Amino acid sequence: MSKSAVVVITGATSGLGQLVAIELGRRGCFDLVLTARSKERAEATRKKIELVNASAKVDFFYGDLSVLKDVQRIGSEITAAYPKIDVLLNNAGIHAFEQRITSEGLPEMIAINYLSPWLLTYTLKPCLQNVGKARVVNVASEASRRHGVLKLPEDLTDTTPFNARGSSPIYGKTKLLNIMFTAELAKRWSDTGISVNALNPGFNVSGLGRELWFAPLLERLLKFFRLGDPRRGADIITRLIVEPEYHKKTGGYFNVGTGKSIRPVLPGSDPQMQQKLWKATEELLEQKGFLP
């Protein structure tokens, strides 16, 4: 990877995204381009990065990743400022415990966890291509194995209410979509020099159930018993960003700890379903006015 490689990270003001940003900042050979909703949290993150490297280059772009109009605008702003991007880390995600509908009429978890990274990646493609050996890294999860029944294209716009218990299959489904998107994008970009891979960061307490009132207590308990250490998740993400072996691979899904390949649960590895998802996503984004 070139000196002062440009790395774009979504969801960088908390959890795994923040840990990865701090680690890359510590290494000193990356220009960090980070997305944030809150300027206060962005500045707190900047200070954490500067604590490990006072000369780190950090640039923030602001918007709400649940709103695709914001995603498109952020992508355009980044494109204008950084014509060459070495790495795009699609890390932002939520596990919501109730159904919320975005201002654009989409289910919030699908919008943030799947449609947002799809659209941002599409928007930043020219900048990634300008590098020649760029990487796209998508944070997925083994929660994808508990995805319920995948229905396309219906799931992309399904705003049926759910409660905390019913949220897990929806969250798992968004992570399955990340894996399928990764595989299909790798095929479609096979001649660009851009590698596209996904990963399972394991169970992490960082940002765990941010909507649960007892989340802080649960986080302390898990840390006490050394469960859900977010540093392990941050480590596999960092490896996919910096290690040469992962640029030689594309369309893969890699595990926390070992870094070895995982075979996705069906229909995640089904080429026909991957293609069907791509077409359904394209049609939805065209209908919403985000694709030409």
Side-chain angles (χ1 to χ4, degrees):
M1 191 174 288
S2 63
K3 187 174 174 63
S4 293
V6 174
V7 181
V8 177
I9 304 176
T10 65
T13 59
S14 65
L16 296 178
Q18 187 183 75
L19 288 175
V20 172
I22 292 168
E23 173 57 25
L24 296 182
R26 185 187 66 78
R27 296 184 183 216
C29 55
F30 298 94
D31 290 351
L32 300 175
V33 179
L34 313 178
T35 72
R37 276 192 305 175
S38 157
K39 292 197 175 183
E40 185 181 346
R41 288 173 69 177
E43 287 311 309
T45 299
R46 187 193 302 276
K47 286 176 183 175
K48 288 184 178 182
I49 296 168
E50 289 175 347
L51 276 175
V52 297
N53 180 0
S55 62
K57 294 181 180 178
V58 186
D59 196 3
F60 280 97
F61 290 81
Y62 296 94
D64 183 347
L65 297 184
S66 73
V67 180
L68 298 183
K69 190 175 181 180
D70 268 22
V71 175
Q72 193 173 54
R73 174 184 54 76
I74 290 169
S76 297
E77 290 174 355
I78 293 173
T79 298
Y82 296 91
K84 289 186 177 182
I85 294 172
D86 295 83
V87 179
L88 168 60
L89 169 59
N90 287 310
N91 163 76
I94 62 162
H95 184 155
F97 291 95
E98 63 179 358
Q99 179 68 278
R100 289 187 292 264
I101 302 169
T102 72
S103 59
E104 295 163 334
L106 294 165
E108 183 189 51
M109 253 201 294
I110 289 282
I112 294 176
N113 295 6
Y114 172 64
L115 294 173
S116 169
W118 198 107
L119 183 58
L120 184 62
T121 305
Y122 173 88
T123 307
L124 297 182
K125 182 183 179 183
C127 307
L128 292 160
Q129 277 188 294
N130 286 343
V131 170
K133 286 190 174 181
R135 309 184 192 202
V136 175
V137 178
N138 297 323
V139 177
S141 171
E142 282 294 81
S144 56
R145 297 192 180 277
R146 301 178 296 279
H147 66 270
V149 178
L150 181 63
K151 296 177 182 176
L152 295 173
E154 295 87 346
D155 283 337
L156 300 183
T157 55
D158 185 1
T159 54
T160 304
F162 57 77
N163 56 20
R165 180 176 293 180
S167 68
S168 291
I170 311 297
Y171 175 76
K173 193 168 292 185
T174 66
K175 292 301 167 181
L176 178 68
L177 298 181
N178 292 149
I179 294 168
M180 295 169 71
F181 162 58
T182 299
E184 183 64 20
L185 184 65
K187 285 180 280 190
R188 289 172 181 263
W189 286 11
S190 61
D191 60 348
T192 63
I194 305 167
S195 69
V196 188
N197 289 303
L199 63 104
N200 165 47
F203 176 69
N204 294 280
V205 296
S206 62
L208 175 73
R210 67 182 73 170
E211 299 180 31
L212 292 174
W213 64 267
F214 55 86
L217 172 62
L218 182 59
E219 185 168 334
R220 286 197 295 273
L221 282 171
L222 290 169
K223 281 183 177 176
F224 178 79
F225 290 108
R226 296 183 180 180
L227 297 172
D229 185 352
R231 289 172 299 183
R232 295 180 73 244
D235 177 68
I236 182 60
I237 296 172
T238 304
R239 288 173 64 186
L240 262 69
I241 289 173
V242 304
E243 291 184 4
E245 69 171 286
Y246 291 109
H247 190 270
K248 296 173 187 172
K249 301 171 182 176
T250 191
Y253 173 44
F254 299 97
N255 205 10
V256 63
T258 64
K260 291 183 178 177
S261 180
I262 313 171
R263 184 169 180 81
V265 64
L266 286 173
S269 57
D270 182 336
Q272 288 184 317
M273 286 298 285
Q274 292 163 3
Q275 191 173 30
K276 184 176 182 181
L277 171 63
W278 184 277
K279 288 182 177 178
T281 307
E282 271 190 331
E283 287 172 7
L284 175 61
L285 293 177
E286 283 171 6
Q287 176 194 330
K288 293 283 183 181
F290 296 110
L291 297 181

